[in-house]
């Protein structure tokens, strides 16, 4: 049994990473909840966003300062993709949307491979070694920033969805498309906004990940695989579930990394995944339908 | 009397779902201020017509104008903005949202300023909803859910209100109240297109009535005339 302070440090570290997982999962679950599809391009979009943040860093823009412009740019790109490419190409058939996003992910990945090769890159931020001394452990500043911003953004998503007209329209479309249409909500616009929010969530996550981890053209997929388990765990389409699930998975990964060794950190994720789904097939926050 | 254009004019409309044609040359009109009943047996296409009118199902051919607006080229949003409001069969309320959110979304295409007056008007008609603003819509009783669906429609400031089987699942007493309400709304100036299975009651309050069969209007007349028509029940309603 490791000492309590080591355990606490592992939990804290898990929460730090988990919050960023949560942010990626929030975008994925939102798109699922409204458009009823798994966006297969989510991972490729994350890789693209990390390269965008990487390029920003090369021209002297700090990743944390790149958050706002990249979020806006990715929102716009996501909106446009859904409105003028995915939507029209799918002819309203969910299976087609799935295929279009799959195709999109292949295109994005190959564009990234062509432009950046498959090399793995990292950036060195000047504050890379700063950390907060908690007495029993040190929390790196970059992880702390990741945690703080991810929580803030998730809270903003939640506020938008629950307290704004736009958010209510999004929820209305998600659960009752005909009813939403008949009150005059423009469903295609809402779909595009939702896809844009999903894209913005990976753009923000990318800026938070880059100072901590590395980037290569396929790196997004690893995160999205974890995010997908979080989405299922939290209840498909539940934003709150994705957030709590993300934190939980971060902690589980960190703890199981400690017990089973770093390379088996993800083992715990899938154990938890299976156990939760056996007890609650609709996930932690899923509707019991 | 001078000829005035009808509020809603449907001419030779064909529409359906990929492959199956449901409406086959349907023509009818709704004059401003009327209650028009649309009758027909199950599956004949009444709801389909309503969806065509609200821009949900596209026209294959034909023309529909609502107060000068060409519905063939209008979007569902344009149609709501123009004041043609469809309270759908099965209510389609937002079950996981509060009563207040449901009503507010009814005014989605209206200015924020008019929401309050709309709310007050709806609460005056349905005091029950006012007592339950915070309740989740999905937990309302069937009758309350129907009130909410109609209330949400009224929040959109309709000029023509389509009611698709509003009495479905209501007790006889509530059905009675519902028909009273429809008459009162009409008396206050609202034009109503009513799709109903309660044939006798509908004909009783309707100025005009049309019977849909085989994709077109097979029989039309005043409510009273159709009520007395022996053909009606036997031939067209499958009763
Ligand atoms: N989305 C759809 N796709 C394919 N066929 C449909 C669709 N919606 C309805 N239909 C078919 O169109 C026909 C007309 O349906 P509609 O709902 O308009 O009938 P209705 O007159 O409203 O019947 P009811 O009185 O039972 O409500 C039916 O045969 C129905 O099965
Ligand atoms: Mg019907």
């Amino acid at each position: 049994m490791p000492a309590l302070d080591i355990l606490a440090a592992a939990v804290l570290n898990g929460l730090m990473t988990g919050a960023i997982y949560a942010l990626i999962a929030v975008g994925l679950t939102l798109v699922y909840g409204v458009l009823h599809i798994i966006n297969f391009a989510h991972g490729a979009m994350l890789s693209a966003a990390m390269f965008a943040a990487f390029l920003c860093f090369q021209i002297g823009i700090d990743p944390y300062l790149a958050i706002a412009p990249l979020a806006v740019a990715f929102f716009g790109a996501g909106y446009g993709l859904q409105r003028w490419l995915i939507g029209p190409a799918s002819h309203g058939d969910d299976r087609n949307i799935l295929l279009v996003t799959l195709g999109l992910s292949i295109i994005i990945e190959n564009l990234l491979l062509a432009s950046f090769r498959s090399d793995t890159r990292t950036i060195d931020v000047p504050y890379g070694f700063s950390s907060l001394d908690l007495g029993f452990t040190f929390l790196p500043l970059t992880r702390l920033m990741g945690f703080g911003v991810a929580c803030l953004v998730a809270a903003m998503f939640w506020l938008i969805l629950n307290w704004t007209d736009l958010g209510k329209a999004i929820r209305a479309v998600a659960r009752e498309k005909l009813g939403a249409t008949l009150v005059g909500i423009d469903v295609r616009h809402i779909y595009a906004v939702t896809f844009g929010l999903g894209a913005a969530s990976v753009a923000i996550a990318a800026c938070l990940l880059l100072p901590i981890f590395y980037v290569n053209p396929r790196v997004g997929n690893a995160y999205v695989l974890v995010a997908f388990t979080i989405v299922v765990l939290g209840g498909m389409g539940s934003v709150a579930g994705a957030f709590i699930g993300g934190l939980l998975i971060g902690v589980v990964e960190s703890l199981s990394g400690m017990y089973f060794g770093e390379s088996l950190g993800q083992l715990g994720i899938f154990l938890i995944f299976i156990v939760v789904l056996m007890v609650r097939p609709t996930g932690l926050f899923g509707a019991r339908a | 009397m001078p000829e005035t254009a009808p509020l809603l004019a449907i001419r030779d409309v064909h529409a359906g779902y990929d492959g199956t044609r449901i409406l086959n040359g349907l023509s009818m009109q709704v004059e401003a201020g009327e209650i028009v009943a649309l009758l027909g047996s199950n599956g004949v296409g009444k709801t389909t017509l309503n969806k065509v009118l609200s821009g949900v199902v596209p026209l294959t051919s034909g023309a529909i104008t609502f107060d000068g607006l060409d519905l063939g080229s209008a979007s569902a949003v344009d149609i709501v903005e123009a004041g043609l409001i469809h309270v759908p069969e099965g209510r389609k309320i937002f079950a996981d949202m509060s009563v207040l959110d449901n009503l507010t979304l009814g005014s989605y295409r209206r200015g924020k300023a008019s929401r309050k007056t709309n709310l007050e008007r709806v609460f005056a008609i349905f005091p029950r909803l006012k007592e339950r603003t915070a309740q989740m819509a999905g937990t309302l009783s069937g009758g309350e859910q129907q009130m909410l669906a109609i209330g949400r429609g009224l929040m959109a400031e309709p000029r023509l209100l389509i009611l698709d089987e509003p009495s479905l699942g209501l007790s006889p007493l509530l059905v009675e109240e519902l028909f009273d309400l429809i008459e009162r709304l009409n008396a206050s100036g609202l034009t109503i297109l009513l799709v109903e299975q309660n044939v006798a009651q509908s004909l009783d309050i309707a100025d005009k009535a049309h019977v849909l069969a085989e994709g077109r209007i097979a029989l039309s007349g005043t409510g009273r005339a159709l009520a007395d028509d022996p053909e009606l029940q036997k031939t067209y309603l499958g009763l």
Side-chain angles (χ1 to χ4, degrees):
Chain A
M1 189 71 198
L4 209 59
D5 52 351
I6 299 181
L7 198 67
V11 169
L12 276 179
N13 256 310
L15 285 175
M16 304 285 121
T17 326
I20 305 180
Y21 288 162
L23 184 56
I24 300 167
V26 163
L28 195 61
T29 210
L30 185 63
V31 169
Y32 176 82
V34 178
L35 283 83
H36 309 295
I37 52 134
I38 298 294
N39 173 16
F40 278 127
H42 208 60
M45 279 160 47
L46 179 59
S47 305
M50 286 179 79
F51 273 109
F54 181 79
L55 291 179
C56 284
F57 184 73
Q58 287 197 319
I59 58 167
I61 304 171
D62 182 87
Y64 299 113
L65 294 179
I67 290 177
L70 283 186
V72 171
F74 269 71
F75 175 86
Y79 185 99
L81 272 177
Q82 167 60 35
R83 181 99 199 217
W84 291 294
L85 181 79
I86 301 173
S90 66
H91 299 281
D93 183 333
D94 291 352
R95 280 167 305 179
N96 291 344
I97 305 183
L98 215 70
L99 290 177
V100 177
T101 66
L102 193 61
L104 202 62
S105 77
I106 294 169
I107 292 170
I108 295 174
E109 237 177 71
N110 282 292
L111 283 176
L112 292 176
L113 274 169
S115 332
F116 299 97
R117 322 234 162 262
S118 56
D119 304 343
T120 287
R121 296 152 205 254
T122 53
I123 62 167
D124 284 314
V125 285
Y127 43 82
F129 290 103
S130 315
S131 55
L132 185 69
D133 187 355
L134 292 181
F136 62 95
T137 185
F138 291 95
L139 278 184
L141 189 67
T142 50
R143 289 187 175 249
L144 218 52
M145 279 296 282
F147 179 77
V149 173
C151 287
L152 206 71
V153 172
M156 264 171 58
F157 269 71
W158 188 84
L159 286 176
I160 290 175
L161 283 176
N162 285 286
W163 296 101
T164 67
D165 277 7
L166 176 69
K168 287 172 188 174
I170 290 174
R171 284 162 57 217
V173 169
R175 292 295 294 273
E176 182 46 76
K177 196 162 124 189
L178 178 58
T181 308
L182 295 182
V183 298
I185 294 172
D186 185 345
V187 173
R188 277 179 311 173
H189 171 69
I190 294 295
Y191 276 3
V193 167
T194 305
F195 207 84
L197 287 175
S201 82
V202 293
I204 298 167
C207 296
L208 303 178
L209 286 171
L210 192 63
I212 308 177
F213 297 107
Y214 56 85
V215 53
N216 69 39
R218 293 217 178 78
V219 70
N221 291 330
Y223 292 108
V224 170
L225 186 64
V226 175
F228 180 69
T229 57
I230 294 169
V231 167
V232 177
L233 197 66
M236 305 283 286
S238 163
V239 169
F243 189 70
I244 307 288
L247 294 180
L248 181 70
I249 286 297
V251 171
V252 166
E253 184 189 42
S254 170
L255 288 180
S256 66
M258 190 173 74
Y259 284 106
F260 307 136
E262 202 65 56
S263 57
L264 288 179
Q266 301 215 324
L267 187 67
I269 297 182
F270 295 103
L271 282 179
I272 279 281
F273 183 69
I274 290 167
V275 170
V276 170
L277 289 190
M278 271 161 58
V279 181
R280 271 188 69 99
T282 55
L284 296 172
F285 287 72
R288 268 148 290 189
Chain B
M1 226 171 70
E3 281 278 306
T4 54
L7 183 59
L8 178 72
I10 304 170
R11 279 184 302 273
D12 196 26
V13 158
H14 296 250
Y17 308 94
D18 28 32
T20 44
R21 175 165 285 184
I22 307 294
L23 303 179
N24 242 319
L26 184 148
S27 299
M28 66 178 259
Q29 299 186 344
V30 176
E31 308 280 346
E34 288 181 336
I35 297 179
V36 172
L38 181 64
L39 310 173
S41 55
N42 288 124
V44 81
K46 305 179 296 293
T47 298
T48 302
L49 175 63
N50 292 342
K51 286 183 176 171
V52 170
L53 292 175
S54 42
V56 176
V57 170
L59 273 179
T60 312
S61 69
I64 307 176
T65 50
F66 173 69
D67 193 29
L69 178 70
D70 171 21
L71 296 198
S73 58
S75 70
V77 174
D78 298 334
I79 293 171
V80 170
E81 266 172 0
L84 195 167
I85 306 301
H86 174 182
V87 177
E89 183 176 48
R91 295 149 195 168
K92 310 295 178 196
I93 55 172
F94 308 121
D96 59 347
M97 289 194 218
S98 69
V99 167
L100 187 62
D101 280 349
N102 268 268
L103 292 174
T104 314
L105 278 170
S107 283
Y108 192 74
R109 287 286 152 195
R110 306 293 171 210
K112 277 215 158 96
S114 55
R115 269 185 208 175
K116 229 179 115 218
T117 31
N118 289 339
L119 260 183
E120 277 162 15
R121 212 184 51 210
V122 169
F123 285 150
I125 298 170
F126 300 115
R128 276 281 266 285
L129 295 181
K130 190 173 185 173
E131 296 160 16
R132 296 168 182 275
T133 46
Q135 192 172 334
M136 286 297 125
T139 66
L140 293 173
S141 77
E144 289 162 352
Q145 288 192 14
Q146 189 59 57
M147 289 177 198
L148 182 60
I150 297 174
R152 187 180 67 181
L154 294 174
M155 291 292 292
E157 301 170 22
R159 301 180 51 227
L160 169 62
L161 189 68
I162 301 177
L163 295 172
D164 196 341
E165 309 219 9
S167 72
L168 205 71
L170 302 190
S171 69
L173 191 68
L174 274 184
V175 174
E176 197 77 34
E177 278 179 28
L178 175 76
F179 278 89
D180 282 349
L181 171 71
I182 295 171
E183 281 197 294
R184 265 186 293 135
L185 289 174
N186 178 249
S188 73
L190 183 58
T191 310
I192 289 172
L193 177 60
L194 176 65
V195 173
E196 258 299 332
Q197 301 289 354
N198 283 303
V199 176
Q201 270 161 304
S202 304
L203 290 177
D204 195 38
I205 65 168
D207 298 296
K208 308 250 174 59
H210 304 280
V211 180
L212 183 54
E214 285 164 13
R216 53 169 66 92
I217 300 300
L219 197 64
S220 302
T222 61
R224 170 137 327 144
L226 283 199
D228 296 336
D229 191 330
E231 278 289 283
L232 175 72
Q233 315 244 327
K234 227 175 42 225
T235 319
Y236 296 112
L237 300 182
L239 298 176

